[in-house]
């Protein structure tokens, strides 16, 4: 239980820092200070801040998708989360597509999608991954499309209504998975 609490404290510290700071500029020391934990504790559980980011994103997405009462697909759930946490997402978005963070987020989202394909669901993305000849490649294509949607929406200052973005993203995903 202490391990779970420590990991959660680091995740919460990262999310708190992302409300006001760019991920690219955050340091492990800042995360430890925010979590009120020692640097050695950080390295007991994570290899670097990217490892913590992956764990944190996984935990956040798990919270979103574990709600069995929700009939929303992963696209709707992700976009609703983004709408509620705009500053975190803004500070998480790398300043350029050349950034290693862009690649890291692409890898993380692809792995999350691949993990989801073992779950029985009506989500069209997960079903497409289950049926795909090359699920890993499709996961990367879908992740790129989702990240592109996030960047576009952020670039439009989130002025486009969430439902309109969800409708477009669903249609794009369906066209990619046919």
């Amino acid at each position: 239980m202490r391990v779970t609490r420590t990991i959660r404290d680091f995740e919460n510290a990262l999310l708190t820092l992302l409300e006001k700071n760019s991920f690219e500029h955050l340091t492990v020391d800042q995360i430890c200070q925010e979590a009120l934990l020692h640097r050695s504790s950080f390295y007991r559980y994570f290899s670097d801040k990217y490892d913590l980011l992956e764990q944190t994103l996984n935990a956040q997405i798990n919270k979103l998708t574990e709600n069995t009462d929700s009939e929303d697909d992963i696209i709707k759930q992700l976009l609703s989360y983004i709408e509620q946490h705009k500053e975190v997402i803004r500070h998480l978005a790398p300043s350029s597509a050349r950034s290693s963070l862009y690649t890291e987020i692409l890898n993380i989202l692809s792995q999350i999608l691949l993990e989801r394909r073992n779950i029985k669901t009506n989500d069209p993305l997960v079903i497409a991954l289950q049926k795909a000849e090359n699920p890993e490649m499709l996961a990367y294509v879908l992740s790129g499309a989702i990240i592109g949607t996030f960047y576009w929406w952020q670039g439009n200052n989130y002025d486009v209504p969430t439902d309109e973005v969800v409708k477009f993203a669903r249609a794009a995903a369906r066209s990619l998975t046919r």
Side-chain angles (χ1 to χ4, degrees):
M1 183 136 89
R2 200 172 98 219
V3 170
T4 304
R5 185 176 55 222
T6 302
I7 290 171
R8 188 182 61 236
D9 288 346
F10 280 121
E11 291 171 356
N12 289 337
L14 177 61
L15 290 171
T16 298
L17 288 168
L18 284 172
E19 289 175 7
K20 301 220 185 282
N21 305 286
S22 166
F23 180 80
E24 292 175 317
H25 297 107
L26 285 180
T27 65
V28 170
D29 286 335
Q30 288 173 305
I31 295 167
C32 292
Q33 187 175 5
E34 181 68 31
L36 302 175
L37 294 164
H38 195 270
R39 190 175 170 88
S40 63
S41 295
F42 180 89
Y43 286 109
R44 186 175 307 132
Y45 301 107
F46 308 103
S47 58
D48 56 23
K49 70 179 188 175
Y50 293 95
D51 192 20
L52 171 60
L53 175 63
E54 181 175 0
Q55 170 71 28
T56 304
L57 290 177
N58 245 324
Q60 293 296 302
I61 290 173
N62 282 335
K63 281 183 196 175
L64 285 173
T65 58
E66 72 187 9
N67 182 3
T68 55
D69 297 337
S70 174
E71 293 186 17
D72 293 337
D73 57 27
I74 197 166
I75 292 172
K76 171 82 173 177
Q77 291 169 333
L78 285 172
L79 291 173
S80 294
Y81 180 86
I82 288 169
E83 185 176 41
Q84 294 168 10
H85 300 92
K86 290 176 185 172
E87 287 308 308
V88 170
I89 300 303
R90 187 180 316 273
H91 290 115
L92 190 55
S95 54
S96 76
R98 291 187 187 151
S99 166
S100 63
L101 182 56
Y102 178 86
T103 304
E104 192 68 28
I105 293 171
L106 183 71
N107 290 334
I108 291 168
L109 189 53
S110 297
Q111 290 309 308
I112 291 168
L113 287 174
L114 286 170
E115 289 170 12
R116 298 276 177 278
R117 93 188 143 139
N118 298 320
I119 299 170
K120 185 168 176 57
T121 181
N122 292 329
D123 188 315
L125 292 184
V126 176
I127 292 169
L129 287 166
Q130 291 167 342
K131 294 178 179 180
E133 260 182 61
N134 189 332
E136 185 177 6
M137 186 186 307
L138 181 57
Y140 275 87
V141 168
L142 293 172
S143 295
I146 291 169
I147 292 169
T149 302
F150 295 163
Y151 279 115
W152 175 84
W153 198 25
Q154 181 183 3
N156 283 283
N157 206 25
Y158 303 101
D159 287 339
V160 179
T162 307
D163 289 339
E164 189 176 320
V165 177
V166 168
K167 182 180 173 183
F168 177 82
R170 282 179 181 154
R174 275 194 300 276
S175 71
L176 287 171
T177 58
R178 286 189 183 147

